[in-house]
Amino acid sequence: MSRTTRWRQGVTATALLMAAVALPAPAHAEDVTDYAITVDPASQGAKIDDTMYGVFFEDINRAADGGLYAELVQNRSFEYSTADNGSYTPLTSWTVAGTGEVMNDAGRLNERNRNYLSLGAGSSVTNAGYNTGIRVEQGKKYDFSVWARAQSGTTLSVTLKDAPGTLATTRQVAAKGGWTKYTATFTATRTSNRGRLTVASSGAASLDEVSLFPRDTYKQQPNGLRKDLAEKIEALDPGFVRFPGGCLVNTGSMEDYSEASGWQRKRSYQWKDTIGPVEQRATNSNFWGYNQSYGLGYYEYFRFSEDIGAMPLPVVPALVTGCGQNRATEDEALLQRHIQDTLDLIEFANGPVTSKWGKKRAEMGHPKPFHLTHLAVGNEENLPNEFFARFQKFRAAIEAKYPEITVISNSGPDDAGSTFDTAWKLNREGNVDMVDEHYYNSPQWFLQNNERYDSYDRGGPKVFLGEYASQGNAFKNALSEAAYMTGLERNADIVKLASYAPLLANEDYVQWRPDLIWFNNHASWNSANYEVQKLFMTNVGDRVVPSTATDTPNVSGPITGAVGLSTWATSAAYDDVKVTGEDGSTLFGDDFSGDASKWTPGATGSWSIQDGQYVQTDAAAENTLVTAGDPAWKNYDLHVKATKKSGNEGFLVAFGVKDTGNYYWWNLGGWNNTQSAVEQAVDGGKSTLISKAGSIETGRAYDIDIKVRGRQVTLYLDGQEWGSFADDKPAEPFRQVVTKDAKTGDLIVKVVNAQSAEARTAIDLGTAKVSSKARVTTLAAGPDEVNTETDTPVTPATSTFQGVAKKFTYTFPANSITFLRIKQR
């Protein structure tokens, strides 16, 4: 079938994605289609495992305390510390009326719960909760508990109030003697998002582990999970849950929480810290800048995985730090202790109740095993050789005792580059079963890289895509992810597991975005990305049905744009900027002997002319881009002389600059001065096109030359070719995959149309015998639409299509994802 002439107007790939208005369809449009999909139901594609799609839970963006963990009291054990956040004290989120002091002495509740509050007679302490306060709903019950020590005759008065008045009847608790747990129950008399919990004492008393839990938790479990968040995760029907990190796993000290280690707070996440009675669990500094109580720990993760029918997939430290820390632990005894801890973890999950750790699981309330089958060692280690040497020791110990466990390695923090290449080489040579890949890239990258796994070695390790997202929560991001997921399914023989990341974000405590589910203390809502993940997870199918589709002509043209200079957490000086056309003509020049009037500054940085150089002096500022020249420039040579003066990184030289969100830049000495790369920004989202290890010296002048020809770019450092690339992958906006549901026999035709024109498509189902009706689920919205608490423009719509035949035509809406479930006869 031929396509309509609308695709031959010379528009760019970006315009195909973003253009606001489609050109009119030609005459007799009913006889013409834009695309053709041909399905071969007689052939068998890759088998898709039930665990194909899952979720990754990391305590980032207050995902645990103040989030999925249902505890309503913040800093319930007075353990907050400047080690967690420079602004914290042990009384953060608390207000004392009268006299009260946080103590850290031999009178504490237990060794691993170091602090407690000493409250004077007639004094009180009030907790502010999370977000705007403690959320209670009229008519619902809330369970209060506190560990207290007091002389006989002391009464604890416990109240729930907000500014207008009481939220529940005051409870009186008679406290006496040594540390004892006291409980009470409130029934909320009205709804409020701004509650405050106050404990007042008639006599001198010591308090610890002050807690308020909604009775109505997920599955009605004590020490349980916030119901609406857990149910949203359950509704995804995930095949696995990866936990607890992420950067929580491979950062900080690898020591334990003990007197011998000096009660270190900045520790990697270690599972034994997180089980047993909550008042005996350790506390820890969270890598993302706050405290984690470990009330939500390994036992709760396993229980939650079981409750939602998902495979648990824990990640343990490999004793090589990452996430910018990049250190390898050389202590062999410490390494062996962590290896033993990992073996103990498997016993905790799977062992009989007669085993040491199986007995501990049973004591916590779960005598049956959790059926652990997969375990990952490490997360995004940027030292591949050091990581793999330690990984091999973990794997050998695990396989010797538990050969049925799949041990997962990883390939570092990026989708390409020297770390990635080295890690994959080691993983292939070491016959690793599965490799965890992570990447966060622009929507453009996801549209360009649908075929990423088509060329992977079918005889090598399988892929676990443990973290990915397209750097935004608008529908255009979700569209690009959906387009990419069709490639994941097509390659289900290689990509065995995949999970979007991160999972949760409290809107008032955000360290990372985008995120799948957003929430505050009273509501939660699905991002556009969530709706895509849910659509794919609940319509996976069991096997790929081979299919092909026509594509969109690539009419992207040459790289065009102005030039720019920038820094990131660094002070740098620039000089002798020259832009020369392909014919040798001078397009631009600035030796900074005058003023800086040729340059357009951005929103950050402190730029000035100093001693004939253009200098950015703020060593803390990030992304200080200044630009010059014509956005229509093409086929040019850029020369710059650059000198790092101080700071953490090197310098950035931009080319192909359209505006502040669309450009290329050569990032020299990035990532804490450990590597250099060319990155492409599209609508603010960046992707790495080429990278190499290397650093930039302070005080040394570097000659930088960039040659742009068409879509080919060659880069020179001090006269030597550093690297080259061709940015010539089309950002294909039309993607599809077909799968078959073995249980129902349905063919599931999944089509993504990530452009602003509808796509009239001829579909040929080959020899399939099909019903004339299809159940249709459609996600369609404007590309910039974003779901919020009060407005959810990206919402699935269901319908029935009556015109299915072996050959039929279907028009896929602009900016849409459509699933056709077609019954076979």
Side-chain angles (χ1 to χ4, degrees), residues 355-397:
S355 66
K356 176 182 177 181
W357 293 102
K359 180 181 180 183
K360 173 66 77 172
R361 181 192 69 240
E363 289 170 350
M364 294 186 71
H366 200 282
K368 293 182 179 179
F370 284 118
H371 306 294
L372 176 67
T373 60
H374 291 64
L375 182 145
V377 176
N379 168 77
E380 292 188 11
E381 282 72 29
N382 215 7
L383 300 173
N385 291 295
E386 292 85 342
F387 161 74
F388 199 73
R390 288 154 182 78
F391 170 83
Q392 287 180 302
K393 293 183 179 181
F394 276 87
R395 181 177 61 166

Side-chain angles (χ1 to χ4, degrees), residues 396-431:
I398 295 168
E399 289 182 346
K401 190 169 185 179
Y402 300 106
E404 71 279 7
I405 298 293
T406 298
V407 186
I408 302 171
S409 180
N410 75 78
S411 59
D414 301 305
D415 63 88
S418 57
T419 295
F420 178 88
D421 292 340
T422 302
W424 259 104
K425 180 176 183 291
L426 293 167
N427 286 315
R428 280 192 297 269
E429 292 173 350
N431 295 315

Side-chain angles (χ1 to χ4, degrees), residues 644-718:
K644 173 182 176 178
K645 298 177 75 68
S646 65
N648 296 334
E649 303 205 349
F651 27 77
L652 303 111
V653 178
F655 58 97
V657 179
K658 303 284 191 187
D659 52 47
T660 56
N662 295 275
Y663 54 84
Y664 301 81
W665 68 20
W666 189 3
N667 185 350
L668 289 127
W671 296 270
N672 286 318
N673 205 14
T674 62
Q675 62 178 307
S676 298
V678 176
E679 298 176 281
Q680 181 186 18
V682 178
D683 293 330
K686 289 200 290 291
S687 312
T688 299
L689 302 181
I690 180 175
S691 68
K692 293 183 179 182
S695 60
I696 293 299
E697 298 175 25
T698 301
R700 174 183 165 187
Y702 290 85
D703 281 306
I704 296 166
D705 291 276
I706 301 171
K707 180 179 181 179
V708 181
R709 294 293 185 273
R711 302 202 68 79
Q712 179 74 36
V713 178
T714 309
L715 307 113
Y716 301 87
L717 188 62
D718 287 336

Side-chain angles (χ1 to χ4, degrees), residues 62-385:
R62 286 282 190 187
D65 296 334
L68 184 61
Y69 186 49
E71 174 65 74
L72 297 172
V73 175
Q74 185 175 175
N75 189 18
R76 67 183 178 190
S77 294
F78 310 101
E79 297 289 339
Y80 277 26
S81 164
T82 54
D84 311 325
N85 187 295
S87 67
Y88 281 1
T89 75
L91 282 173
T92 293
S93 199
W94 293 97
T95 303
V96 173
T99 60
E101 181 181 3
V102 174
M103 309 296 292
N104 181 351
D105 59 26
R108 64 178 64 87
L109 177 60
N110 62 65
E111 281 290 286
R112 295 166 73 77
N113 196 327
R114 306 293 291 166
N115 292 349
Y116 65 95
L117 179 67
S118 177
L119 199 61
S123 300
S124 66
V125 63
T126 299
N127 190 265
Y130 297 93
N131 300 94
T132 56
I134 292 172
R135 160 75 173 183
V136 296
E137 295 183 53
Q138 183 176 355
K140 292 196 172 182
K141 294 185 182 297
Y142 297 85
D143 293 322
F144 167 82
S145 65
V146 63
W147 283 82
R149 181 180 62 197
Q151 293 183 345
S152 181
T154 298
T155 299
L156 303 178
S157 297
V158 189
T159 59
L160 264 174
K161 294 182 178 180
D162 62 6
T166 60
L167 294 169
T169 303
T170 299
R171 297 301 180 196
Q172 307 286 342
V173 175
K176 61 180 179 180
W179 285 109
T180 305
K181 185 177 181 180
Y182 300 96
T183 62
T185 299
F186 292 99
T187 301
T189 54
R190 57 186 176 86
T191 295
S192 175
N193 301 328
R194 300 177 181 273
R196 300 291 187 268
L197 176 75
T198 298
V199 181
S201 181
S202 64
S206 298
L207 307 179
D208 205 348
E209 204 72 20
V210 184
S211 174
L212 186 70
F213 254 86
R215 178 75 58 84
D216 189 18
T217 56
Y218 179 70
K219 303 289 187 183
Q220 254 60 51
Q221 292 174 1
N223 193 52
L225 307 181
R226 178 170 150 173
K227 190 174 183 180
D228 63 326
L229 295 180
E231 288 179 344
K232 284 186 184 301
I233 299 169
E234 181 183 38
L236 290 168
D237 194 23
F240 65 88
V241 179
R242 176 179 180 246
F243 62 89
C247 289
L248 303 189
V249 168
N250 68 336
T251 55
S253 167
M254 299 293 165
E255 300 285 350
D256 62 1
Y257 191 55
S258 67
E259 183 176 8
S261 68
W263 304 105
Q264 292 192 38
R265 291 290 293 268
K266 291 181 178 290
R267 309 185 313 284
S268 65
Y269 196 111
Q270 300 174 46
W271 78 272
K272 288 179 180 177
D273 286 343
T274 76
I275 63 169
V278 292
E279 68 275 5
Q280 295 177 18
R281 298 184 189 181
T283 190
N284 201 3
S285 170
N286 184 296
F287 173 82
W288 297 107
Y290 51 92
N291 176 271
Q292 48 190 345
S293 72
Y294 288 148
L296 173 56
Y298 257 74
Y299 177 75
E300 289 75 24
Y301 286 129
F302 278 125
R303 283 292 299 264
F304 182 53
S305 300
E306 181 180 70
D307 285 340
I308 64 176
M311 175 182 81
L313 204 165
V315 186
V316 299
L319 273 73
V320 178
T321 57
C323 301
Q325 297 183 358
N326 301 337
R327 295 188 301 273
T329 301
E330 301 296 343
D331 186 334
E332 184 64 25
L334 186 58
L335 174 64
Q336 291 303 321
R337 192 268 286 175
H338 275 266
I339 291 172
Q340 185 58 53
D341 280 355
T342 302
L343 296 175
D344 293 344
L345 170 62
I346 298 170
E347 183 176 287
F348 176 77
N350 294 350
V353 296
T354 53
S355 66
K356 176 182 177 181
W357 293 102
K359 180 181 180 183
K360 173 66 77 172
R361 181 192 69 240
E363 289 170 350
M364 294 186 71
H366 200 282
K368 293 182 179 179
F370 284 118
H371 306 294
L372 176 67
T373 60
H374 291 64
L375 182 145
V377 176
N379 168 77
E380 292 188 11
E381 282 72 29
N382 215 7
L383 300 173
N385 291 295

Side-chain angles (χ1 to χ4, degrees), residues 495-514:
V495 183
K496 306 305 288 184
L497 307 166
S499 49
Y500 178 102
L503 178 61
L504 295 172
N506 186 320
E507 66 173 352
D508 292 334
Y509 308 92
V510 179
Q511 288 85 37
W512 183 277
R513 61 180 75 226

